[in-house]
Amino acid sequence: EMNFDYITSIESIRLNSRHAAILSEGRIHLHRIASQAGDQGVDKNEIVLPGSGASGDVTSVAMTETFLIAGTGSGSILYWLVSDPSSGATWDEGEGDDGGQGPGLQNLAPPPQINEYRHGHKGDDGLSGSGVGGGTINSAIMDDGYGSPRRAPASQHGITSIVPNASGTHLVFSDARRQVFFYNAVNDQVLPVLPPAGTNFAFQQDKGRNSNEGDTSIARQRVVPTILWDTDDPNVFVVFAERTHGESLSFGSKHQAVSDPNNSGFVAVYVYVPTSTSGSEVKLAGMHALRSLPGKPLLLSKGFLIFLTGSVNLERVLLDTHRHIMAKYSLQQVEGGKKGGGMTISTSASANKHDRLVRHEFDQHLALCHAEEAKEIALLSMDRGMWIALASQALETLDIDLAILGYRMAGDSSKASALTRLRHLEDKHLLAGHALLILGEGSAKPGDGSVVEVAESYFFRSSDPKAALEMHVDLKNWERALELAEEVSTTDLERAHINKQHAGTLELRGEYQAARRAYDIAIGLFNACLPRRPGQSFAGPGYGLEDRDLEDSIHAEFGSEYDSLGGTLRGGRDDMQAGADQAGARDPEGEAEEASPQQVLGQVKVCKGGIARCIIHLGDVEAGVQIALDLAQEEEGGAPGDASAHKRKMDMFKDFATILEEAGHLTEAAEMHHVCGNVEQAATLFVKSSQFDRAKPLMTQVMAPSLHQVFAKAMEMRGDYQLALSSYQRANDSQSLVRLYLSNNGIRNPHKAFAIVRQTRSLESAKLALQYCLDKGDHEGQTEMLVILGRVTEAMELAIVHNTVDALVSNINNSEAEPQVYLQIAKYYEQHSQYLKAGRMYETCCKSASLRPSLAENLVPSGDFYVEESTSGTVSEFIDACNNSAVHFYLKDGTSEAVDSAIALVGRVRSSSQIAQVVDWLPGQNPSTPA
């Protein structure tokens, strides 16, 4: 046992396994806890820090097994090394003048100061300082997200409290402004710790100090927050908070009841994320509501807060942020299965409840950045939503392997494939930029700008700033890409491609003058990539200002040496639109792709085509068309059988044709369509522009009936009736054909007109033919046309008057007329003693009545085989009477054809009255007259 007496007041005591540090009146008294042989008093075995030459303004002290840490009123955080972690030796072992035997008593040296951080001090613009005890002094530095220093505000803020983690490498401190910060002693990284919305951190007067009236120094009025590090989770700490007066508070999911107005105290749980797409950050993981403090908080372990209640009693409180984690819902089902039913889910409701609890457990692991535990739960649950959430957070924290696994398990193969190409990247700025682009909008911190802006800043700070250019190229942000092309190292070929794509975008926007200038610049850059002799330059201002056949020039200059001299040209990507490689890393070997002179010349021609389009849009149609024709000649003079060149030519002329057509230059547009093989559209435009002579040779290849009809009308108006007939035939315009054949001109042919009407049964054509017959007095033609028009009754009356009944019958002999029509025709033939035809009409009348029974209901037979209208009788009686009449007149005709028809009818109908007629008409007998 060892007792120590101090002549000054003790403000705080910190211990480790070997030493004690006592804060007293702004200085630290450091000594061993137990006395050793040879010690001659406490005054000989202690060291006072800072030394007598420095001001004593220490406000807080902390100690780990390795470090003694102090915060000062002037805003410094000091680190002393009290124990070597590699050897375990303490600073006071092996010192003194006794030859290394035991602790030095007479000349005990202080422990080496290894680090000093100055919070809010004025200083130089960068890292500066001088070594003290083998350490460094770092000026007030704030972190930019990845440890790159930037200046903090130039003001002094005293340190009021420091709380390190178990190793001392990280600590949380508060300053005189009642603000809380996270400090990483490894890289002097400082991050703000912000209170949750609706709360403030709960600062309280340090009860371990004596307040002297009139003393307003930081040391005398120190207020400190309650901060605890989790002893089992090195990146988790808590800060006690209180409700802001008059503000409502709500946080987290519905199972966290922090919005209860009776809750005045809260525990804010934070997690330190050392690496993420937003840089290093301190994230709020959740909150726990406290109605009152059970006692003095002593310890935080695995989410359990240990309070000292009374003198010896301890009370344990589980934080809401760890409640589902400690319940381990995800393991209950697995353990139940192993035990044979220890966890039985009997209903769907209980299964859904269990799934929700497992998801809460998973979410809490994610909130605390427990990636491995979250992965184990996702593997057990195989829930796609869990895998997506896990992959997103893994990507945010730049854990590429876990992100690839998550996206693969979620079925997102595109993101998994993109991330696979990032595995080899070691530069975290480069990796963070690509990760941000894959995560998309919303992944950047509010206030930092868009994802693209943040990714660009990361790329510029990486070892490959050209990735920023490639990103904007992939996103087709050509204006920004052109700006970056001047800032990063790019080849002429790469800049040429960017200018070409930029020109295309401007052209789509309708900015034709600017697009033409961009095409000119691209041509100049492409020309600079072509092989040339010293003193020769092809880098002209562009096709619009200098018209040269570059390929012919090269062949003229180099001849057979063309292939060997210009076989390959070093350059960037042949096509800068590498959209599929959105997050892709560049070729690990850094090799640029190659472009041959022929490929470069092809790009030059594309740019010339763009200039031609712009010139046409700007109104100089003749010049634009001339450029297009020149390009066509160049393509024809290229290598025979070059399919790509032919396709490029066709696409170019299609573009020209569309532009000319939109501008109203139909003739020129038709020529372009004809060149690129679009014959039908070319003929259409020639017809629209009344260029019928130029359209004439193309019409045989046109399939559109409407175009043939327009062309035929035009030819008819010009008097070219043969060509008009040909086009009307292709258009299937029967009415126009009939009209032409019946008109008074050199191609009149009524027989063809009537044949067309009979074939097409067109009503409009039949009307034209009927009028023609009326004008010519053609009664048979009139009768036929009336039947086609469906005016059968009118046709019958006309036929009876003009004795053209045969023409009528030839058109309606298929039972398509009403029964009464056939009866009247039969009566007509009977009156004219044409008994065979009369019999046929009676037989046809039977068929019509069978097909149209409703039209035969009022027709009944008479005593002399004629049928007249009546209000009595049935359809079957009418049909039987008609059959009798048909047999009668067949037999009365007496010809073999008529007799055969009668026998066939009797055999088909098998009526006794009709059989009797035939039997009575046997050879040598006359047909009987039915009663």
Side-chain angles (χ1 to χ4, degrees):
E1 181 177 349
M2 185 174 185
N3 296 323
F4 295 92
D5 294 325
Y6 301 93
I7 61 175
T8 58
S9 60
I10 297 175
E11 299 172 7
S12 65
I13 299 176
R14 298 291 183 265
L15 304 174
N16 65 14
S17 62
R18 299 184 183 183
H19 297 92
I22 294 87
L23 175 61
S24 176
E25 294 186 349
R27 297 186 182 276
I28 303 171
H29 298 263
L30 178 65
H31 59 77
R32 283 183 175 273
I33 295 176
S35 62
Q36 296 184 11
D39 286 353
Q40 298 181 5
V42 174
D43 58 331
K44 300 299 183 179
N45 193 35
E46 73 174 1
I47 290 294
V48 178
L49 300 171
S52 58
S55 61
D57 62 345
V58 177
T59 58
S60 57
V61 64
M63 189 160 60
T64 67
E65 286 298 318
T66 305
F67 305 112
L68 172 64
I69 310 169
T72 69
S74 58
S76 295
I77 296 179
L78 309 174
Y79 270 74
W80 289 277
L81 183 67
V82 296
S83 176
D84 187 350
S86 60
S87 63
T90 62
W91 105 94
D92 54 353
E93 293 178 350
E95 298 285 346
D97 56 358
D98 58 352
Q101 302 298 322
L105 301 181
Q106 302 297 329
N107 298 309
L108 185 62
Q113 180 179 332
I114 60 172
N115 190 56
E116 178 178 350
Y117 163 73
R118 296 175 181 175
H119 181 56
H121 271 243
K122 295 180 180 180
D124 299 330
D125 289 335
L127 290 174
S128 61
S130 57
V132 178
T136 61
I137 300 177
N138 293 322
S139 220
I141 302 164
M142 298 293 287
D143 183 60
D144 70 344
Y146 280 118
S148 301
R150 58 182 174 86
R151 295 292 303 128
S155 58
Q156 177 179 342
H157 307 296
I159 307 298
T160 57
S161 68
I162 54 174
V163 181
N165 63 358
S167 63
T169 55
H170 300 159
L171 63 80
V172 179
F173 70 90
S174 61
D175 62 15
R177 298 170 300 174
R178 299 195 177 188
Q179 295 182 0
V180 180
F181 298 89
F182 170 90
Y183 173 63
N184 186 345
V186 177
N187 55 13
D188 284 318
Q189 181 186 65
V190 175
L191 301 172
V193 180
L194 302 177
T199 68
N200 281 329
F201 289 135
F203 283 77
Q204 56 185 349
Q205 186 75 26
D206 188 353
K207 297 181 181 180
R209 304 292 300 270
N210 294 325
S211 296
N212 298 330
E213 185 177 355
D215 191 348
T216 59
S217 67
I218 293 176
R220 293 302 178 188
Q221 294 190 8
R222 187 164 61 95
V223 286
V224 297
T226 301
I227 303 170
L228 292 174
W229 283 87
D230 195 313
T231 58
D232 294 278
D233 197 338
N235 290 326
V236 174
F237 63 91
V238 298
V239 185
F240 283 73
E242 60 188 0
R243 183 190 300 278
T244 303
H245 178 69
E247 293 189 17
S248 61
L249 175 66
S250 180
F251 179 85
S253 56
K254 59 186 178 182
H255 60 272
Q256 290 183 293
V258 298
S259 57
D260 188 345
N262 295 322
N263 296 329
S264 59
F266 305 94
V267 179
V269 182
Y270 294 91
V271 58
Y272 168 59
V273 182
T275 305
S276 75
T277 55
S278 301
S280 301
E281 59 180 341
V282 175
K283 295 173 59 177
L284 179 65
M287 294 179 65
H288 178 85
L290 293 172
R291 290 181 179 271
S292 61
L293 289 178
K296 181 178 179 58
L298 296 180
L299 183 68
L300 173 64
S301 176
K302 295 183 179 179
F304 286 99
L305 266 177
I306 312 298
F307 292 91
L308 176 63
T309 59
S311 58
V312 294
N313 296 325
L314 298 177
E315 182 174 337
R316 190 174 69 166
V317 175
L318 177 61
L319 297 177
D320 287 338
T321 54
H322 293 69
R323 180 159 57 91
H324 295 289
I325 292 177
M326 299 310 297
K328 301 185 185 305
Y329 299 113
S330 59
L331 298 180
Q332 293 178 13
Q333 188 171 8
V334 177
E335 294 174 354
K338 292 179 179 179
K339 295 176 182 178
M343 175 67 179
T344 303
I345 300 177
S346 58
T347 65
S348 59
S350 59
N352 291 336
K353 180 179 179 181
H354 178 266
D355 291 341
R356 288 196 301 271
L357 293 174
V358 171
R359 183 57 193 255
H360 289 325
E361 180 185 356
F362 173 83
D363 290 340
Q364 288 192 343
H365 276 301
L366 276 190
L368 295 170
C369 296
H370 297 164
E372 288 300 319
E373 291 82 352
K375 183 182 75 171
E376 293 300 324
I377 296 175
L379 286 171
L380 292 174
S381 302
M382 294 307 293
D383 181 85
R384 185 174 185 272
M386 288 186 183
W387 284 114
I388 292 176
L390 178 61
S392 298
Q393 178 163 304
L395 187 54
E396 288 178 2
T397 58
L398 305 186
D399 189 345
I400 302 301
D401 289 333
L402 182 56
I404 291 173
L405 173 63
Y407 284 125
R408 282 179 177 169
M409 298 298 290
D412 195 339
S413 58
S414 60
K415 287 186 178 180
S417 176
L419 288 172
T420 302
R421 296 193 291 269
L422 303 181
R423 270 179 164 165
H424 71 279
L425 296 181
E426 297 180 356
D427 188 319
K428 62 182 178 181
H429 288 96
L430 188 60
L431 188 59
H434 287 304
L436 275 174
L437 293 176
I438 294 176
L439 288 170
E441 290 297 332
S443 56
K445 281 185 177 180
D448 287 351
S450 67
V451 168
V452 174
E453 292 172 343
V454 177
E456 179 184 310
S457 67
Y458 284 159
F459 288 143
F460 266 115
R461 283 182 284 171
S462 72
S463 58
D464 183 17
K466 196 172 181 179
L469 170 63
E470 295 172 355
M471 174 189 68
H472 284 288
V473 168
D474 292 338
L475 296 175
K476 303 186 186 305
N477 297 333
W478 304 115
E479 290 86 352
R480 182 56 180 159
L482 287 173
E483 295 174 3
L484 295 180
E486 301 300 326
E487 301 178 20
V488 301
S489 176
T490 55
T491 64
D492 289 339
L493 188 61
E494 290 172 327
R495 290 195 299 274
H497 277 295
I498 295 173
N499 275 280
K500 185 192 75 171
Q501 301 296 345
H502 181 219
T505 302
L506 292 172
E507 188 179 349
L508 290 175
R509 294 178 186 170
E511 302 175 25
Y512 302 115
Q513 194 64 46
R516 177 180 175 179
R517 288 195 296 268
Y519 279 126
D520 278 331
I521 295 172
I523 288 176
L525 291 169
F526 278 125
N527 292 346
C529 299
L530 294 171
R532 56 186 179 274
R533 289 179 178 175
Q536 181 189 15
S537 175
F538 293 135
Y543 189 91
L545 302 178
E546 181 181 356
D547 184 6
R548 299 182 58 188
D549 190 336
L550 300 176
E551 190 170 7
D552 290 345
S553 299
I554 294 174
H555 279 291
E557 291 290 337
F558 298 101
S560 60
E561 299 178 0
Y562 174 70
D563 292 330
S564 60
L565 179 62
T568 57
L569 293 174
R570 303 293 293 182
R573 290 193 254 181
D574 181 55
D575 186 3
M576 294 294 287
Q577 300 182 70
D581 194 13
Q582 178 181 358
R586 300 174 62 198
D587 182 13
E589 301 297 329
E591 293 288 342
E593 294 186 9
E594 300 175 350
S596 66
Q598 291 90 340
Q599 291 173 324
V600 175
L601 286 171
Q603 295 298 323
V604 170
K605 291 175 182 177
V606 171
C607 293
K608 289 180 181 180
I611 291 175
R613 290 192 300 271
C614 293
I615 291 175
I616 293 173
H617 279 298
L618 292 171
D620 193 351
V621 176
E622 183 178 353
V625 172
Q626 185 58 49
I627 294 175
L629 295 176
D630 292 344
L631 287 174
Q633 292 179 358
E634 290 182 18
E635 295 291 357
E636 291 173 359
D642 190 347
S644 62
H646 178 73
K647 182 179 183 302
R648 185 166 59 244
K649 171 186 173 183
M650 294 299 102
D651 292 342
M652 179 179 62
F653 278 104
K654 287 178 183 177
D655 293 339
F656 290 147
T658 302
I659 295 169
L660 289 167
E661 187 175 349
E662 291 174 353
H665 301 281
L666 301 184
T667 302
E668 293 82 357
E671 292 175 350
M672 293 297 170
H673 278 300
H674 191 199
V675 170
C676 64
N678 192 353
V679 177
E680 189 157 322
Q681 186 63 18
T684 301
L685 296 179
F686 279 133
V687 170
K688 283 185 179 181
S689 58
S690 300
Q691 299 289 328
F692 300 111
D693 292 335
R694 304 183 68 174
K696 187 183 301 184
L698 305 179
M699 293 306 297
T700 56
Q701 304 177 52
V702 174
M703 301 300 294
S706 59
L707 183 59
H708 279 292
Q709 196 169 33
V710 173
F711 182 75
K713 289 180 180 179
M715 294 299 99
E716 184 180 353
M717 293 178 64
R718 296 178 63 179
D720 193 344
Y721 298 113
Q722 290 294 340
L723 191 56
L725 282 174
S726 176
S727 293
Y728 279 135
Q729 288 174 350
R730 291 192 177 94
N732 295 320
D733 189 350
S734 60
Q735 181 181 352
S736 296
L737 287 171
V738 170
R739 180 176 51 80
L740 280 179
Y741 280 128
L742 296 177
S743 61
N744 189 15
N745 53 48
I747 61 169
R748 177 184 297 177
N749 193 333
H751 296 290
K752 286 187 177 181
F754 291 157
I756 293 172
V757 174
R758 296 187 190 104
Q759 179 183 2
T760 62
R761 313 296 286 185
S762 168
L763 298 182
E764 296 299 325
S765 301
K767 289 179 182 179
L768 292 175
L770 177 60
Q771 185 61 44
Y772 175 83
C773 293
L774 287 171
D775 295 340
K776 298 298 182 180
D778 184 355
H779 302 302
E780 289 189 5
Q782 290 181 51
T783 302
E784 182 180 3
M785 294 303 111
L786 286 171
V787 172
I788 293 175
L789 289 170
R791 297 153 58 179
V792 179
T793 302
E794 185 179 350
M796 182 186 64
E797 294 173 353
L798 179 66
I800 292 174
V801 171
H802 296 284
N803 294 321
T804 58
V805 176
D806 289 341
L808 174 64
V809 171
S810 65
N811 286 280
I812 63 170
N813 200 25
N814 294 321
S815 306
E816 61 185 14
E818 298 178 3
Q820 187 176 2
V821 173
Y822 294 106
L823 285 174
Q824 293 183 14
I825 296 173
K827 185 176 181 179
Y828 171 84
Y829 281 129
E830 183 182 352
Q831 290 175 351
H832 288 77
S833 301
Q834 298 182 28
Y835 302 121
L836 176 60
K837 293 181 179 179
R840 288 175 176 171
M841 287 300 101
Y842 279 119
E843 186 176 357
T844 305
C845 183
C846 293
K847 296 178 181 178
S848 178
S850 300
L851 296 174
R852 302 170 183 85
S854 61
L855 299 178
E857 289 179 352
N858 296 326
L859 300 176
V860 296
S862 65
D864 57 354
F865 293 100
Y866 299 130
V867 186
E868 299 176 351
E869 294 186 8
S870 174
T871 58
S872 61
T874 63
V875 175
S876 60
E877 291 175 346
F878 169 75
I879 294 174
D880 189 55
C882 288
N883 284 327
N884 288 336
S885 298
V887 172
H888 170 76
F889 287 110
Y890 280 144
L891 296 176
K892 189 173 183 178
D893 182 77
T895 63
S896 59
E897 181 181 357
V899 173
D900 290 341
S901 298
I903 294 173
L905 176 58
V906 170
R908 184 171 64 253
V909 176
R910 296 183 181 279
S911 172
S912 59
S913 61
Q914 297 160 17
I915 294 173
Q917 289 187 66
V918 175
V919 170
D920 292 343
W921 186 87
L922 291 174
Q925 297 184 14
N926 294 324
S928 61
T929 302

